[in-house]
Amino acid sequence: MRIDIVTIFPEFFSVLDVSLLGKARQSGLIDLGVHDLRDFTIDRHRTVDDTPYGGGAGMVMRAEPWGQALDGILDASLERGVFDPLIVFPSPAGDVFTQAMAQQLSSEKQIVFGCGRYEGIDQRVVEYAETRTRVKLVSLGDYVLNGGEVATMAMIEAIGRLIPGVVGNPASLVEESHSSGLLEYPAYTKPGNWRGLDVPPVLLSGNHGAIARWRLEQQLERTRRVRPELLPPELR
Ligand code: JD8
């Protein structure tokens, strides 16, 4: 997968050089391009924002730098034979990001993340982008962030780890929270007793059937207690 990020804070994404995603980039599973929006301005102050039409507090991101940045990325995609990359604009007004969406997006050839700041991006950028390719507004959740970078980082991690070969043991993806529709069971490791707290005896029994049943019961109990809406009505 090719991932492009447009942002006024390119240094924010240096963390993508390390850990699992860093390894995925070294092995060629993920190809990453981070683009500084200010590189697409033409004034000496590299201005990316301006006052909002209609008045109001704050500033709005100007359309032209975005138009130049997205055209450059999309034209480069065409040269690589990718004709319909997906542009994702993180936005509080977007569809809420879920594991199902991460799974769906993990099969994309190319995703371009457009990280807004200030009060947002001139709406005509979204309208223009829709004339060139597929566009999706996605929200990380029902709370307000200061820009799209944190959401983009979270989405890249959630999507990237689902790309075949990125996670060493694919079986570990199956039992995770949300992948099975249930929250995950509690995990334990040595020592057997830690500060007077024991590991549940069933996990020491060697009885794999009993262990599997205990883990499923834990998943159902935890999901019923914390996120009942994830369960079908008959299991709530
Ligand atoms: C992109 C600018 C800040 C948003 C005035 C605060 C996502 N789940 C989420 N919450 N917030 C965002 C998000 C916030 C953004 C931008 C995403 C670009 N802001 C603006 C509108 C109100 N400020 C998000 N994904």
Side-chain angles (χ1 to χ4, degrees):
M1 180 183 289
R2 165 84 186 181
I3 296 175
D4 289 278
I5 304 169
V6 181
T7 174
I8 59 172
F9 297 122
E11 65 278 10
F12 188 95
F13 296 97
S14 53
V15 73
L16 292 177
D17 297 337
V18 298
S19 82
L20 212 56
L21 291 177
K23 291 189 179 69
R25 290 177 61 194
Q26 287 164 10
S27 61
L29 285 169
I30 294 176
D31 179 26
L32 178 70
V34 183
H35 311 268
D36 185 341
L37 183 67
R38 294 189 192 279
D39 291 344
F40 299 91
T41 60
I42 54 172
D43 66 302
R44 61 196 292 264
H45 298 297
R46 294 161 56 90
T47 310
V48 294
D49 63 314
D50 206 334
T51 54
Y53 275 123
M59 304 290 273
V60 173
M61 299 192 98
R62 296 174 54 244
E64 185 54 19
W66 279 100
Q68 293 292 332
L70 294 177
D71 279 348
I73 292 166
L74 295 176
D75 293 349
S77 302
L78 288 174
E79 287 165 20
R80 286 198 304 272
V82 179
F83 300 103
D84 67 338
L86 176 68
I87 299 179
V88 172
F89 288 107
S91 165
D95 296 318
V96 176
F97 187 65
T98 63
Q99 185 68 18
M101 192 187 294
Q103 191 67 55
Q104 178 190 31
L105 296 184
S106 67
S107 59
E108 289 286 343
K109 293 189 193 72
Q110 179 177 8
I111 302 177
V112 182
F113 288 94
C115 300
R117 279 273 155 172
Y118 305 101
E119 295 306 305
I121 303 169
D122 186 309
Q123 180 60 24
R124 290 168 293 182
V125 172
V126 175
E127 293 165 18
Y128 171 73
E130 285 171 339
T131 69
R132 288 213 57 180
T133 191
R134 295 171 296 138
V135 176
K136 195 174 180 64
L137 272 61
V138 181
S139 169
L140 196 57
D142 293 337
Y143 37 81
V144 181
L145 302 170
N146 288 330
E149 285 81 6
V150 166
T152 293
M153 186 71 80
M155 288 188 251
I156 288 175
E157 178 151 320
I159 294 163
R161 63 196 304 277
L162 297 176
I163 294 171
V166 171
V167 170
N169 174 12
S172 65
L173 296 175
V174 174
E175 295 178 333
E176 294 179 324
S177 282
H178 302 292
S179 58
S180 61
L182 299 174
L183 299 185
E184 63 198 28
Y185 50 76
Y188 298 84
T189 187
K190 294 186 283 297
N193 180 289
W194 178 70
R195 298 189 180 184
L197 299 169
D198 284 328
V199 171
V202 68
L203 298 180
L204 311 177
S205 68
N207 180 336
H208 298 296
I211 292 169
R213 282 191 298 277
W214 180 86
R215 284 175 166 172
L216 178 58
E217 286 160 10
Q218 291 294 312
Q219 283 184 283
L220 287 167
E221 188 279 326
R222 196 176 241 189
T223 307
R224 190 175 293 122
R225 174 165 42 86
V226 179
R227 297 291 303 279
E229 76 279 8
L230 296 178
L231 291 172
E234 64 273 15
L235 290 180
R236 289 178 190 165

